[in-house]
Amino acid sequence: MKARTPRRGPGKRVAVLGAGSWGTTFAKILADGGADVVLWARRPELAREIQEGKRNSDYLPGVNLPIGLRSTSRLDLALAGAEQVYVCVPSQTLRQNLIEAEPHLHAEAIVVSLMKGVEKSTGHRMSEVIAEVLPIAESKIAVISGPNLALEIAKEQPTAAVVSSTSLETAQAVASVARNPYFHSFVNTDVIGTEFGGVLKNLIAVAIGIVDGAGYGENTKASIITRGLVEMTDFAVAHGAHPDTLSGLAGLGDLIATCQSPLSRNNTAGRLLGQGYKLPEVVNQMQQTTEGLASVGPILELARAKGVEMPIVEQVRQVLAGTLAPKDIAPHLTTDDEPQGERTMDGQAQGGTALRRALQRAFDQLRNGGRSAAGDRP
């Protein structure tokens, strides 16, 4: 049964920059929540299809977009009067897009990143790039992450996400707009953990796709997901994140969705690699940007700088470089030459308790409506 949008007065004026599958889906989320939304598409013909036909056949075939959703290929019109600006462009083009948008941005606008990548040239997270380019306070920047496969949400299948900002007030302001009967937003102030969770799960999803394409089964994939969560948490905590964030929606939740679904571009790219396609062939076959492929190198550089070992991600890099056969990735789940205790997210050898604690926290959050002592807050 289709969720009904409650009637309300004129909504907050917001802009969404980027009309790919996720940008268009998020514009729909906002419009269905009552916001006054203008979606910016770089291509005039796509903007015209969205504006006049309420469709985006390139990225969301078969999905009807809200009648009130507007679209334009002009940045000045998209940003005019926008109180919140949601940015969903490829991570490697973010800096240039922000430079073009800055003259048209309202001085008090909140800028929200929907992207899950790092900038290759600097290794910076998307919120860091926003802070560098735009003359706005850090407290006016937010990020959104979670188990958010675009096509499922566009079809109004229920899900949740996390809105994170160093300012709880900003996170709550965004969450109050980015919600509707099928999309629920929680909040936290751990921007580092929330953002890195969205980046790192892409890399593990590529690994899962590789072993799937190479013909390995569920035991192998479960092992990589479990060990991948440890790598994600070790990395994020080393950069200042709270470990509980990685067991929430932006970490474990997104990891499960991205690793298990054929709708995941990173999973699909990995599967093609596992089937023997070379990296250039995979890139040519993917219709949209696959952030995980672009993020492997920068993430490993950041890991080395902090002394964090990421054997799974390193093996993905070797497969991308053609120096490791896809079928050889699975047996090498660790670089340890000698038997070791299972490292947990606390850096202690305590058997399987790390994943059990992560799952328990996730279940507790669901049971308590998303509330936990240190986790995501509604």
Side-chain angles (χ1 to χ4, degrees):
M1 180 177 175
K2 185 175 180 178
R4 294 184 179 181
T5 302
R7 294 187 179 185
R8 59 183 76 184
K12 189 176 292 291
R13 171 74 173 85
V14 302
V16 178
L17 307 185
S21 59
W22 185 222
T24 304
T25 295
F26 215 88
K28 181 181 188 300
I29 289 167
L30 295 164
D32 285 344
D36 175 17
V37 186
V38 178
L39 173 62
W40 176 75
R42 183 173 291 279
R43 292 186 287 126
E45 65 273 17
L46 179 55
R48 191 176 308 112
E49 182 189 22
I50 296 170
Q51 174 70 19
E52 298 176 1
K54 304 306 174 188
R55 289 289 186 104
N56 184 338
S57 55
D58 285 349
Y59 300 115
L60 293 176
V63 173
N64 294 319
L65 300 174
I67 295 297
L69 174 61
R70 293 175 287 151
S71 185
T72 180
S73 59
R74 288 180 51 181
L75 264 175
D76 58 336
L77 296 181
L79 292 169
E83 301 172 66
Q84 295 182 4
V85 178
Y86 295 76
V87 187
C88 193
V89 298
S91 59
Q92 306 313 314
T93 70
L94 173 61
R95 189 175 293 271
Q96 184 57 41
N97 277 284
L98 292 176
I99 291 171
E100 295 173 7
E102 192 271 329
H104 312 294
L105 196 67
H106 189 280
E108 296 299 316
I110 293 172
V111 179
V112 186
S113 169
L114 301 176
M115 299 160 288
K116 298 178 179 180
V118 293
E119 190 175 45
K120 273 185 171 181
S121 58
T122 63
H124 289 174
R125 292 174 282 112
M126 298 293 94
S127 65
E128 292 177 307
V129 177
I130 293 170
E132 281 185 10
V133 177
L134 298 180
I136 61 175
E138 184 183 24
S139 61
K140 289 288 187 179
I141 300 171
V143 302
I144 294 180
S145 194
N148 301 146
L149 297 165
L151 187 58
E152 289 186 2
I153 301 174
K155 293 179 178 179
E156 303 188 8
Q157 297 180 17
T159 191
V162 179
V163 180
S164 185
S165 173
T166 57
S167 164
L168 184 58
E169 181 181 0
T170 294
Q172 290 172 332
V174 173
S176 68
V177 176
R179 65 195 309 168
N180 62 43
Y182 59 86
F183 190 89
H184 188 78
S185 291
F186 296 96
V187 300
N188 72 33
T189 55
D190 183 10
V191 175
I192 296 172
T194 300
E195 216 162 6
F196 272 138
V199 174
L200 296 166
K201 58 84 187 180
N202 285 335
L203 313 187
I204 305 305
V206 173
I208 292 295
I210 291 171
V211 300
D212 194 19
Y216 291 108
E218 300 308 315
N219 291 332
T220 305
K221 287 184 278 188
S223 298
I224 292 177
I225 289 173
T226 306
R227 298 304 303 167
L229 180 61
V230 175
E231 288 191 21
M232 289 169 58
T233 306
D234 285 350
F235 178 98
V237 169
H239 285 83
H242 194 290
D244 280 358
T245 303
L246 276 296
S247 65
L249 290 165
L252 179 61
D254 202 4
L255 178 66
I256 292 171
T258 308
C259 286
Q260 297 296 325
S261 175
L263 295 176
S264 162
R265 295 194 294 272
N266 294 284
N267 184 289
T268 300
R271 193 178 310 113
L272 292 171
L273 289 165
Q275 291 169 353
Y277 290 93
K278 301 303 181 186
L279 180 58
E281 297 173 314
V282 172
V283 172
N284 287 337
Q285 288 197 45
M286 303 301 293
Q287 289 186 330
Q288 297 189 66
T289 301
T290 305
E291 294 287 8
L293 301 181
S295 298
V296 171
I299 287 296
L300 284 174
E301 287 185 16
L302 292 171
R304 282 192 287 270
K306 293 287 186 180
V308 176
E309 293 186 1
M310 303 188 79
I312 295 172
V313 179
E314 172 59 33
Q315 288 150 25
V316 170
R317 184 196 65 77
Q318 293 175 24
V319 171
L320 294 178
T323 59
L324 180 70
K327 65 180 179 59
D328 290 334
I329 192 174
H332 306 294
L333 292 174
T334 176
T335 56
D336 296 329
D337 294 326
E338 298 293 333
Q340 302 287 331
E342 183 182 15
R343 277 193 311 118
T344 72
M345 291 181 289
D346 301 313
Q348 301 170 351
Q350 296 179 347
T353 57
L355 182 63
R356 185 160 61 249
R357 288 196 303 273
L359 290 170
Q360 186 60 54
R361 281 194 292 268
F363 292 146
D364 287 344
Q365 289 178 20
L366 290 172
R367 186 164 52 245
N368 297 325
R371 294 180 294 276
S372 70
D376 309 325
R377 285 172 284 185

Coordinates of all heavy atoms in Angstrom, one line a residue, residues 122-155:
T122 N 43.1 14.9 -2.5 CA 43.4 15.3 -1.1 C 43.1 14.3 0.0 O 43.6 14.4 1.1 CB 42.6 16.6 -0.8 OG1 41.2 16.2 -0.8 CG2 42.8 17.7 -1.8
G123 N 42.3 13.3 -0.4 CA 41.9 12.3 0.6 C 40.8 12.8 1.6 O 40.5 12.2 2.6
H124 N 40.3 14.0 1.2 CA 39.3 14.7 2.1 C 37.9 14.1 2.0 O 37.5 13.7 0.9 CB 39.2 16.2 1.8 CG 40.5 16.9 2.3 ND1 40.7 18.2 2.0 CD2 41.6 16.5 3.0 CE1 41.8 18.6 2.5 NE2 42.4 17.6 3.1
R125 N 37.2 14.0 3.1 CA 35.8 13.7 3.1 C 35.0 14.8 2.4 O 35.5 15.9 2.3 CB 35.3 13.5 4.5 CG 35.9 12.2 5.2 CD 35.5 12.1 6.7 NE 36.2 13.1 7.5 CZ 35.7 14.1 8.1 NH1 34.4 14.4 8.0 NH2 36.4 14.9 8.9
M126 N 33.8 14.5 2.0 CA 33.0 15.4 1.3 C 32.7 16.7 2.1 O 32.7 17.8 1.6 CB 31.7 14.8 0.8 CG 31.9 13.7 -0.2 SD 32.6 14.2 -1.8 CE 34.4 13.9 -1.5
S127 N 32.4 16.5 3.4 CA 32.1 17.6 4.2 C 33.3 18.5 4.4 O 33.2 19.8 4.5 CB 31.6 17.2 5.6 OG 32.7 16.5 6.3
E128 N 34.5 17.9 4.3 CA 35.7 18.7 4.4 C 35.9 19.6 3.1 O 36.4 20.7 3.2 CB 37.0 17.8 4.6 CG 37.0 17.1 6.0 CD 38.2 16.2 6.2 OE1 38.3 15.3 5.3 OE2 38.9 16.4 7.1
V129 N 35.6 19.0 2.0 CA 35.7 19.8 0.7 C 34.7 20.9 0.8 O 35.0 22.0 0.4 CB 35.4 18.8 -0.5 CG1 35.4 19.6 -1.8 CG2 36.4 17.7 -0.5
I130 N 33.5 20.6 1.3 CA 32.5 21.7 1.4 C 33.0 22.8 2.2 O 32.8 24.0 1.9 CB 31.1 21.1 1.9 CG1 30.5 20.2 0.9 CG2 30.1 22.3 2.2 CD1 29.3 19.4 1.4
A131 N 33.6 22.5 3.4 CA 34.1 23.5 4.3 C 35.2 24.3 3.7 O 35.4 25.5 4.0 CB 34.5 22.8 5.6
E132 N 36.0 23.7 2.9 CA 37.1 24.4 2.2 C 36.6 25.4 1.2 O 37.2 26.5 1.0 CB 38.1 23.3 1.6 CG 39.0 22.7 2.5 CD 40.0 21.8 1.7 OE1 40.0 21.9 0.5 OE2 40.7 21.0 2.4
V133 N 35.7 24.9 0.4 CA 35.3 25.7 -0.8 C 34.3 26.8 -0.5 O 34.4 27.9 -1.0 CB 34.7 24.8 -1.9 CG1 34.2 25.6 -3.1 CG2 35.8 23.8 -2.3
L134 N 33.3 26.5 0.4 CA 32.2 27.5 0.7 C 32.5 28.3 1.9 O 33.0 27.8 2.9 CB 30.9 26.7 0.8 CG 30.4 25.9 -0.4 CD1 29.1 25.2 0.0 CD2 30.3 26.8 -1.6
P135 N 32.1 29.6 1.9 CA 32.3 30.5 3.0 C 31.2 30.3 4.1 O 30.5 31.2 4.4 CB 32.3 31.8 2.4 CG 31.4 31.7 1.2 CD 31.6 30.3 0.7
I136 N 31.1 29.1 4.6 CA 30.0 28.8 5.6 C 30.7 28.2 6.8 O 31.7 27.5 6.7 CB 28.9 27.9 5.0 CG1 29.4 26.6 4.6 CG2 28.2 28.6 3.9 CD1 28.3 25.6 4.2
A137 N 30.0 28.3 7.9 CA 30.5 27.7 9.2 C 30.3 26.2 9.1 O 29.4 25.7 8.5 CB 29.7 28.3 10.4
E138 N 31.2 25.5 9.8 CA 31.1 24.0 9.9 C 29.8 23.6 10.5 O 29.3 22.6 10.1 CB 32.3 23.5 10.8 CG 32.4 22.0 10.9 CD 33.4 21.5 11.8 OE1 33.8 22.3 12.7 OE2 33.9 20.4 11.6
S139 N 29.2 24.4 11.3 CA 27.9 24.1 12.0 C 26.8 24.1 11.0 O 25.7 23.6 11.3 CB 27.6 25.0 13.1 OG 27.5 26.3 12.6
K140 N 27.0 24.6 9.7 CA 26.0 24.7 8.7 C 26.1 23.6 7.7 O 25.5 23.6 6.7 CB 26.1 26.1 8.0 CG 25.6 27.2 8.8 CD 24.1 27.2 9.0 CE 23.6 28.5 9.7 NZ 22.1 28.4 9.8
I141 N 27.0 22.6 8.0 CA 27.2 21.5 7.1 C 26.7 20.2 7.7 O 26.9 20.0 8.9 CB 28.7 21.3 6.8 CG1 29.3 22.6 6.1 CG2 29.0 20.1 5.9 CD1 30.8 22.6 6.0
A142 N 26.1 19.4 6.9 CA 25.5 18.1 7.4 C 25.8 17.0 6.4 O 26.1 17.3 5.2 CB 24.0 18.2 7.7
V143 N 25.8 15.8 6.8 CA 25.9 14.6 5.9 C 24.8 13.7 6.2 O 24.3 13.6 7.3 CB 27.3 14.0 6.0 CG1 28.4 15.0 5.8 CG2 27.5 13.3 7.4
I144 N 24.4 12.9 5.2 CA 23.4 11.9 5.4 C 23.9 10.6 4.8 O 24.5 10.5 3.8 CB 22.1 12.3 4.6 CG1 21.4 13.5 5.2 CG2 21.1 11.1 4.6 CD1 20.2 14.0 4.6
S145 N 23.7 9.5 5.6 CA 24.2 8.2 5.2 C 23.3 7.1 5.8 O 22.6 7.4 6.8 CB 25.6 8.0 5.7 OG 26.2 6.9 5.0
G146 N 23.4 5.9 5.3 CA 22.5 4.8 5.8 C 22.3 3.8 4.7 O 22.8 3.9 3.6
P147 N 21.5 2.7 5.0 CA 21.2 1.7 4.0 C 20.2 2.2 3.0 O 19.0 2.0 3.2 CB 20.6 0.6 4.9 CG 20.0 1.3 6.1 CD 20.9 2.5 6.3
N148 N 20.7 2.9 2.0 CA 19.8 3.7 1.1 C 20.0 3.3 -0.3 O 20.6 4.1 -1.1 CB 20.0 5.2 1.3 CG 19.7 5.7 2.8 OD1 20.4 6.6 3.3 ND2 18.8 5.0 3.5
L149 N 19.5 2.2 -0.8 CA 19.5 1.8 -2.2 C 18.4 2.6 -2.9 O 17.2 2.5 -2.6 CB 19.3 0.3 -2.3 CG 20.4 -0.5 -1.7 CD1 20.0 -2.0 -1.6 CD2 21.7 -0.4 -2.5
A150 N 18.8 3.4 -3.9 CA 17.9 4.4 -4.4 C 16.6 3.9 -5.0 O 15.5 4.4 -4.7 CB 18.6 5.2 -5.5
L151 N 16.7 2.8 -5.8 CA 15.5 2.4 -6.5 C 14.4 1.8 -5.5 O 13.2 2.1 -5.7 CB 15.8 1.3 -7.5 CG 14.7 0.8 -8.4 CD1 14.1 2.0 -9.2 CD2 15.1 -0.3 -9.4
E152 N 14.9 1.2 -4.4 CA 13.9 0.7 -3.4 C 13.2 1.8 -2.8 O 12.0 1.8 -2.5 CB 14.7 -0.2 -2.4 CG 15.2 -1.5 -2.8 CD 15.8 -2.3 -1.7 OE1 15.8 -1.8 -0.5 OE2 16.3 -3.4 -2.0
I153 N 14.0 2.9 -2.4 CA 13.3 4.0 -1.8 C 12.4 4.8 -2.7 O 11.4 5.3 -2.3 CB 14.4 5.0 -1.2 CG1 15.3 4.2 -0.2 CG2 13.8 6.2 -0.5 CD1 16.5 5.0 0.3
A154 N 12.9 4.9 -4.0 CA 12.0 5.6 -5.0 C 10.7 4.8 -5.1 O 9.7 5.5 -5.4 CB 12.7 5.6 -6.3
K155 N 10.7 3.5 -4.8 CA 9.4 2.8 -4.9 C 8.7 2.8 -3.5 O 7.8 2.0 -3.3 CB 9.7 1.3 -5.3 CG 10.2 1.2 -6.7 CD 10.5 -0.2 -7.1 CE 10.9 -0.3 -8.6 NZ 11.3 -1.7 -8.9

